[in-house]
Amino acid sequence: MRSDRVKAGAGRAPHRSLLKATGLTDAEISRPLIGVANSFNEIVPGHVELRQIAEAVKRGVLMAGGTPLEFPAIAVCDGIAMNHEGMKYSLASREIIADSIEIMAKAHGLDGLVLIPNCDKVVPGMLMAAARVNIPTMVVSGGPMLKGRHKDKDVDLITVFEGVGMEALGKMSMESLVELENDACPTCGSCAGMFTANSMNCMTEALGMGLSGNGTIPAVYAARKRLAKEAGMRVMNLVERQIKPRDILTPAAFQNALSVDMALGCSTNTVLHLTAIAKEAGVEMDLEQINQVSQSTPNLCRLSPAGDQHIEDLYHAGGISALMKRLMDGGKIDPSVQTVYGEPMGRVLASARVTDNSVIRTMEEPYSQTGGIRVLKGNLAPKGAVVKQSAVADSMMQVEARARVFDSEEMAVEAIMGGDIVPNDCVVIRYEGPKGGPGMREMLTPTSALAGMNLDDKVSLITDGRFSGGTRGAAIGHVSPEAADNGPIAWIRENDRIRIDIPKGELTLLVEQEELETRAAAWEPKEITVTGYLKRYAAMVKDASEGAVTF
């Protein structure tokens, strides 16, 4: 056993003495030591009930003959961190999560891991750690929140963000907004739509790193606890057979995940995170590959914010397994890849079936013949940009608009709320990239404000930052290179014309090349005034097209 390096032989008597100081017996020490990384805290709604998940995991490990050893991981709530300095720390937390799990697993010679994430950066951070440490690992999330109900309509967190725009426009009273906020998030769990947290929990399942149901069983269902127990039991099988994350996280597995991503219409953040996880697994992935999968995979689901359905609806329609079975039958999933079941994906999916074609459409009648995410390139984004095309109105798929330029999210929000943005404007928010922000903030507040003001089908947004999985409209993020690296987004001036052509995958600044070269030569870097962790992060982080990793 790997843990023998900390517990076997006379030379490890001091080590065993310390383990016994925690209350472990000789019998427990002799068994495989399984680290249980629990991202519980009392701040994040997706994480407040993870103690129960961890207890279920530990019971499963014990039932299968292992010794579970729990340790913590941090978690940031993107919704609470939104639109203030807190959002600078969200993406940056992903690296700390990965690093801390690596430290705990290697420092203590663990034989295996069960990772318990739920929200946006915790899921990819833990998957990055799994690939990096490469010991037998199981991932089991805390599950999605149930959708809310307000005045006979299904609602979620994004409804509240959009309500802020409606209140600013005078279309909703403050009293009504408070009623909405009271109804929108009725249970614990990751927010109810196909936002980043749920997107990444679904990607975990699609990659083969989570059990069936990981992405969709609601947090408050008893089935979630049973899944956690099963995860605890099955990790022992992985340890016995020495099936490791890099045996599962192969190029074919990432290809499968991308196909599921496009069929679901996941958050654009999956592009950032899957790229980072692939790097840790030693798998090559770039934006061109993502575009190729998008162009060849039909979009079968339209969950909030792209549509009115939610994760619980997907669960009752058969979940990710049913979607993958449909894709596999259509030749879009490789059935031979390894999974945490210790069996190939095809066998895992054999009995899955779709029970509601209105939630998961057929391959013959998709929402669109292409996937939910589109990569754009052009003189404004030479290394690429990303848009959730399944959440873009038809009228905004091809537009030419006037640039309204802002050097921070706060400046843009002030202009939007102040009524300074009008139809056919293109809001450009720059110096919000991985390095320039730093931290590549999400822009849910401005996009939701525009939606609440009925401008999401009339105004486009472009940023070197990110957009929330809850964003809808012509919101183009991850523009690379970013402004802080003297990317073309730094050269845009007020009233420049910008052409967006999503079907063709083009993003063009309609300025002569000679003028662009003049602007590039005159560019001066914007001072980044941060301290502490953000200062270190800004110095290390790479471009969004490389997953915004720090290695």
Side-chain angles (χ1 to χ4, degrees):
M1 286 186 290
R2 187 172 182 272
S3 58
D4 283 348
R5 69 190 67 185
V6 301
K7 68 184 186 184
R12 294 296 184 259
H15 303 62
R16 291 192 297 275
S17 180
L18 289 168
L19 289 171
K20 289 177 180 179
T22 70
L24 291 179
T25 65
D26 284 322
E28 289 172 304
I29 294 170
S30 70
R31 298 168 185 159
L33 304 182
I34 307 300
V36 179
N38 183 8
S39 55
F40 160 82
N41 66 47
E42 294 183 338
I43 301 173
V44 185
H47 293 245
V48 292
E49 296 297 327
L50 292 188
R51 280 175 173 161
Q52 297 182 47
I53 300 300
E55 288 303 314
V57 165
K58 289 188 286 186
R59 289 189 185 189
V61 171
L62 289 167
M63 285 190 287
T67 298
L69 300 171
E70 184 179 346
F71 62 88
I74 64 169
V76 170
C77 178
D78 279 24
I80 297 173
M82 196 70 65
N83 195 34
H84 59 89
E85 69 170 355
M87 183 48 71
K88 293 178 182 288
Y89 289 88
S90 176
L91 180 60
S93 73
R94 186 186 71 179
E95 314 309 305
I96 286 183
I97 292 162
D99 292 348
S100 64
I101 291 171
E102 174 194 1
I103 289 167
M104 291 296 288
K106 293 199 170 185
H108 302 106
L110 300 177
D111 295 299
L113 290 167
V114 180
L115 307 178
I116 308 175
N118 210 31
C119 289
D120 298 48
K121 308 312 166 298
V122 192
V123 185
M126 287 191 170
L127 285 168
M128 289 165 67
R132 186 188 303 173
V133 176
N134 201 35
I135 61 175
T137 300
M138 178 76 69
V139 181
V140 57
S141 74
M145 182 185 293
L146 295 180
K147 59 190 174 185
R149 192 74 177 167
H150 179 70
K151 295 182 178 178
D152 297 325
K153 291 184 179 180
D154 291 340
V155 294
D156 55 39
L157 178 67
I158 305 308
T159 318
V160 186
F161 270 99
E162 293 181 359
V164 174
M166 296 175 67
E167 194 275 337
L169 198 63
K171 296 172 60 179
M172 177 183 285
S173 68
M174 188 61 202
E175 291 77 11
S176 295
L177 183 59
V178 170
E179 290 176 6
L180 175 59
E181 75 179 63
N182 289 338
D183 293 340
C185 299
T187 72
C188 65
S190 48
C191 297
M194 189 50 74
F195 315 142
T196 303
N198 291 325
S199 293
M200 289 309 304
N201 284 325
C202 291
M203 291 298 96
T204 300
E205 196 173 327
L207 284 166
M209 287 295 294
L211 300 175
S212 297
N214 180 75
T216 58
I217 298 174
V220 294
Y221 282 18
R224 176 60 60 176
K225 296 183 183 67
R226 294 196 296 271
L227 188 78
K229 288 180 185 176
E230 184 179 357
M233 290 186 284
R234 285 190 177 272
V235 75
M236 297 305 297
N237 178 57
L238 296 179
V239 170
E240 180 181 354
R241 296 174 60 186
Q242 282 299 290
I243 297 174
K244 301 175 182 178
R246 291 192 186 186
D247 299 322
I248 297 170
L249 296 172
T250 62
F254 281 96
Q255 190 82 0
N256 284 351
L258 287 173
S259 295
V260 175
D261 191 344
M262 300 308 163
L264 280 174
C266 289
S267 163
T268 52
N269 285 313
T270 57
V271 172
L272 202 67
H273 298 321
L274 287 174
T275 302
I277 298 163
K279 282 183 176 291
E280 294 281 9
V283 173
E284 290 188 10
M285 178 186 291
D286 57 30
L287 294 183
E288 187 54 41
Q289 176 189 356
I290 293 167
N291 231 10
Q292 289 172 0
V293 176
S294 177
Q295 290 300 97
S296 62
T297 307
N299 179 221
L300 305 183
C301 300
R302 288 280 169 95
L303 278 66
S304 176
D308 296 329
Q309 295 161 338
H310 292 79
I311 299 294
E312 65 187 90
D313 300 310
L314 179 61
Y315 168 67
H316 291 295
I320 300 304
S321 294
L323 173 68
M324 292 186 73
K325 178 64 160 55
R326 180 157 283 178
L327 290 170
M328 185 174 71
D329 291 343
K332 302 298 182 182
I333 292 292
D334 184 339
S336 69
V337 298
Q338 182 62 278
T339 70
V340 288
Y341 284 95
E343 298 179 350
M345 184 65 77
R347 191 172 300 170
V348 172
L349 300 178
S351 61
R353 65 186 182 91
V354 176
T355 60
D356 189 341
N357 287 326
S358 70
V359 179
I360 305 173
R361 287 197 175 184
T362 65
M363 298 288 282
E364 294 74 28
E365 296 182 343
Y367 283 101
S368 68
Q369 293 295 334
T370 56
I373 293 174
R374 186 75 159 101
V375 175
L376 311 180
K377 287 191 174 182
N379 71 345
L380 183 45
K383 290 187 178 181
V386 182
V387 64
K388 187 171 183 174
Q389 63 179 355
S390 60
V392 179
D394 290 342
S395 61
M396 297 300 292
M397 296 295 281
Q398 293 174 300
V399 297
E400 183 178 314
R402 176 181 68 140
R404 304 298 311 279
V405 185
F406 304 95
D407 285 352
S408 72
E409 179 187 7
E410 287 85 355
M411 294 170 63
V413 170
E414 183 179 352
I416 293 168
M417 293 296 196
D420 194 34
I421 302 301
V422 298
N424 205 37
D425 278 350
C426 177
V427 176
V428 177
I429 306 175
R430 61 192 181 190
Y431 294 102
E432 292 286 8
K435 182 186 299 182
M440 203 179 182
R441 289 195 288 180
E442 286 184 346
M443 307 292 170
L444 180 57
T445 296
T447 58
S448 296
L450 288 171
M453 299 167 80
N454 292 325
L455 289 173
D456 58 298
D457 60 349
K458 304 174 184 68
V459 172
S460 50
L461 292 95
I462 296 174
T463 183
D464 52 8
R466 301 178 295 127
F467 288 111
S468 163
T471 288
R472 59 187 172 98
I476 299 165
H478 306 198
V479 171
S480 303
E482 62 174 296
D485 282 333
N486 199 14
I489 192 171
W491 314 336
I492 304 174
R493 293 180 181 173
E494 191 80 0
N495 297 319
D496 280 350
R497 305 296 294 180
I498 295 173
R499 180 185 298 132
I500 300 168
D501 194 324
I502 294 174
K504 290 184 178 179
E506 296 176 355
L507 185 61
T508 308
L509 179 58
L510 300 176
V511 175
E512 294 294 331
Q513 182 61 31
E514 184 177 352
E515 171 62 16
L516 292 179
E517 292 172 0
T518 299
R519 295 182 188 183
W523 176 81
E524 294 183 1
K526 181 182 177 183
E527 184 180 2
I528 301 173
T529 55
V530 290
T531 59
Y533 177 58
L534 286 182
K535 185 175 182 179
R536 298 197 302 275
Y537 180 82
M540 295 185 295
V541 71
K542 289 184 170 58
D543 194 86
S545 64
E546 299 181 58
V549 295
T550 57
F551 58 91

